[in-house]
Amino acid sequence: MSKEKATEKLMLALLRHALFGMPVEACRLSDDEYRVLMMLARRQTVQGLVGSALMDAGFTLSHASAMDLLMETERVKRANGQVSGGLQKMAQLLQRSHLSFVIVKGQMVGALYPHPERRCPGDVDLYLPGDHYGRAKSLVEKMTGKDLDAVDEGKHVEVMIDGVDFEFHHTLAQLYRPAHQQWFNKRIDDAIAARTDEAVILGTAVPTLAPTENLLFVFMHFFFHLAFTGCGLRQFCDVAVLMHRKGNEIDRKRFEEDLRRLGLQKAFRAMAAFLVTYLGLPEADVPVTLGEADYRWTEPIRQNVMAGGNFGRSHRHVRQSGLLHSLDSAWLDLRQTLTYARLAPQEVLGRFWSLTVLRSNLFQNMFKKQPSKKYKE
C-alpha cells in the first residue's frame, strides 16, 4: 500500500471514530506521517475531527507534533466559539424582533456532532420566508450601516458582523426546472408553517427545519456543490451525522417522494452508499433502500473527493482571477458535471448549461478581470 493510500485509510478510520465511536488501532506516528495526515485533513476541512480523534484514541506523537496538534484543535475550537456566539446573538435579535427564520446547515448540523466544537465552522445561513426577509435586511442595515441591496446575489445577501459571515436567504436553493423550483419553495414554506425543529447553540434554542426537510435541503446543497465545483469530506460528515441523529424522526415515505419529485433519487442513494462504505454510517440510518448499483458509485466518488478536496480547490490550477481562471473554472465545472450527470441528469445538466455556459463570465466578460469564487459552507 502506498503512503498516500495508507494516510487516506487512517484519516477515514479516524473520522469513523470521531463520528460514530468506531474503534481505530492507535500507533506511533512520525513527524512526517503526522504532517501528511493533517495536510490531507485540512484539504478536506476535517482537521478538528481528525486531530481530536488522534488524541482520543491514544496515538503517540513527538513533542513537536503533539504541540502542533493541540494548537490546531484549539484554533478550530476558538473559531467555533466565535461563529456560535455570533449566531446566538443574531438569533436572539431576530427573535426579539418577532421575525420568522430558520438556521440551515453549518452550525445547525454542527450542534448534532458528538463534540460540536471539533467541526470546522464556516458561515451562518439563515432563511426568512415572505416579508420577514426584507424586514431582516432593514434590521441588519440599521445595525451595521451597510447597504445590503448592493450585495444582493439574487437568493441571499451576505454580510460580516463581528468577524462572522452571515447569509440571509429568501430562497434556499436555485433549481434549473421552474416546476422543481416552484414546488421546492412551497414545500419549504409549508413545512416551516407546519412545524420546525430546534438546534441548541450555546444554550440558546434556534429554530431550524424539521428533520425530513432538513435532510432534503442539506443533501441538495451538498450534492449541487459536489456536481459542479466539488465537495470535501466535511459536507459528507454533515449529511452522515444528520441522518444518524435524526433518522428516527424522518418521514421516509415523504422523503422518498421529495427525492422523486426533484429527480434526485439516484444521487441520494449514491451519496448514502459512500457514507456507509467509507464513513461508517449504519445502513439502518439511511431513509431509503440501497442496492448493489448504488455501491458501484462509492469508488468514483472517493477518487473525486480525495483529489479535489474542500469545494474542489485542489482540482484548481489557476488561483488568480482573469481569463485563465475563468477557463479553469469552466473546465472544472464541466468535469464535475460529466462525473455526476447520470445521478441527476435534469438538474445537473440543466444547471450546468444555464449557470455555467449561458451566464458564464467566460463568455460575457471574457477579458474582464473577475473575482475568485468564495468557498465557505
Side-chain angles (χ1 to χ4, degrees):
M1 184 184 297
S2 68
K3 287 185 178 180
E4 183 178 345
K5 288 287 292 183
T7 302
E8 178 188 315
K9 183 178 179 181
L10 175 58
M11 181 183 68
L12 291 169
L14 289 166
L15 286 176
R16 291 191 292 269
H17 179 80
L19 297 176
F20 304 115
M22 297 179 68
V24 56
E25 185 176 349
C27 63
R28 181 178 184 83
L29 296 181
S30 68
D31 287 343
D32 186 58
E33 289 171 328
Y34 166 78
R35 178 186 61 81
V36 173
L37 172 66
M38 293 306 291
M39 184 171 61
L40 181 58
R42 291 186 193 101
R43 186 193 303 172
Q44 299 291 336
T45 323
V46 291
Q47 63 267 36
L49 297 171
V50 168
S52 298
L54 283 174
M55 292 187 287
D56 292 346
F59 279 73
T60 303
L61 305 173
S62 72
H63 178 72
S65 292
M67 291 302 296
D68 180 81
L69 179 59
L70 287 172
M71 289 188 291
E72 185 73 69
T73 53
E74 183 61 27
R75 277 194 292 269
V76 174
K77 182 179 179 180
R78 284 202 306 269
N80 264 302
Q82 181 180 19
V83 175
S84 293
L87 169 57
Q88 181 189 46
K89 291 178 182 178
M90 179 58 67
Q92 291 171 344
L93 173 63
L94 295 176
Q95 288 167 338
R96 286 197 304 269
S97 302
H98 305 290
L99 290 173
S100 175
F101 72 96
V102 289
I103 176 180
V104 293
K105 57 192 181 69
Q107 296 301 95
M108 178 280 298
V109 182
L112 300 176
Y113 275 65
H115 299 280
E117 73 280 2
R118 298 177 179 182
R119 176 192 179 272
C120 292
D123 55 1
V124 174
D125 291 85
L126 299 163
Y127 172 71
L128 300 103
D131 65 348
H132 294 269
Y133 172 77
R135 291 165 57 193
K137 278 179 60 178
S138 299
L139 182 68
V140 174
E141 284 178 331
K142 290 178 182 178
M143 181 174 64
T144 63
K146 298 178 181 178
D147 178 11
L148 296 189
D149 286 332
V151 293
D152 197 321
E153 298 186 14
K155 68 185 182 72
H156 71 268
V157 293
E158 179 182 340
V159 61
M160 180 174 284
I161 303 173
D162 296 333
V164 178
D165 277 317
F166 287 88
E167 287 188 1
F168 296 86
H169 295 255
H170 64 81
T171 301
L172 274 184
Q174 289 183 325
L175 298 165
Y176 170 69
R177 293 194 63 195
H180 286 177
Q181 186 72 67
Q182 184 178 13
W183 177 86
F184 178 76
N185 291 346
K186 186 175 186 301
R187 174 82 175 84
I188 294 299
D189 286 346
D190 287 349
I192 293 174
R195 177 198 168 203
T196 56
D197 199 3
E198 289 183 344
V200 179
I201 309 295
L202 300 181
T204 297
V206 182
T208 187
L209 295 170
T212 304
E213 293 75 31
N214 223 337
L215 178 58
L216 178 66
F217 170 68
V218 170
F219 162 70
M220 286 173 57
H221 176 266
F222 142 81
F223 175 71
F224 288 137
H225 269 303
L226 180 67
F228 285 90
T229 59
C231 220
L233 286 175
R234 178 182 64 169
Q235 284 71 27
F236 282 88
C237 291
D238 282 355
V239 179
V241 168
L242 184 55
M243 273 196 274
H244 184 63
R245 290 294 305 276
K246 294 292 185 176
N248 292 335
E249 300 176 54
I250 292 170
D251 183 335
R252 297 190 172 211
K253 184 177 180 181
R254 182 65 185 268
F255 184 73
E256 286 195 80
E257 175 62 17
D258 289 346
L259 293 176
R260 187 195 65 78
R261 288 289 299 264
L262 297 171
L264 297 175
Q265 312 98 302
K266 289 183 180 179
F268 182 82
R269 292 199 303 265
M271 298 307 111
F274 177 91
L275 299 178
V276 171
T277 302
Y278 289 109
L279 291 183
L281 175 70
E283 191 169 333
D285 291 341
V286 179
V288 300
T289 303
L290 301 181
E292 183 179 344
D294 303 317
Y295 283 96
R296 295 193 191 116
W297 277 93
T298 59
E299 181 58 17
I301 293 171
R302 184 198 65 79
Q303 292 178 7
N304 183 255
V305 171
M306 291 302 172
N310 194 42
F311 293 116
R313 281 177 288 193
S314 296
H315 278 313
R316 192 171 291 284
H317 300 293
V318 181
R319 302 291 177 178
Q320 294 187 348
S321 61
L323 176 59
L324 290 179
H325 184 272
S326 295
L327 286 168
D328 189 45
S329 297
W331 169 242
L332 173 58
D333 290 351
L334 176 60
R335 183 169 57 183
Q336 291 299 114
T337 295
L338 293 175
T339 300
Y340 294 105
R342 284 181 293 164
L343 291 176
Q346 287 186 338
E347 284 299 328
V348 173
L349 293 176
R351 282 165 60 90
F352 173 77
W353 182 252
S354 65
L355 301 180
T356 306
V357 178
L358 292 181
R359 287 183 256 163
S360 170
N361 288 331
L362 174 64
F363 294 97
Q364 292 187 8
N365 304 291
M366 184 162 289
F367 299 103
K368 182 179 178 181
K369 190 173 182 180
Q370 298 293 335
S372 300
K373 292 181 180 179
K374 293 185 289 183
Y375 304 94
K376 287 172 285 188
E377 283 289 351

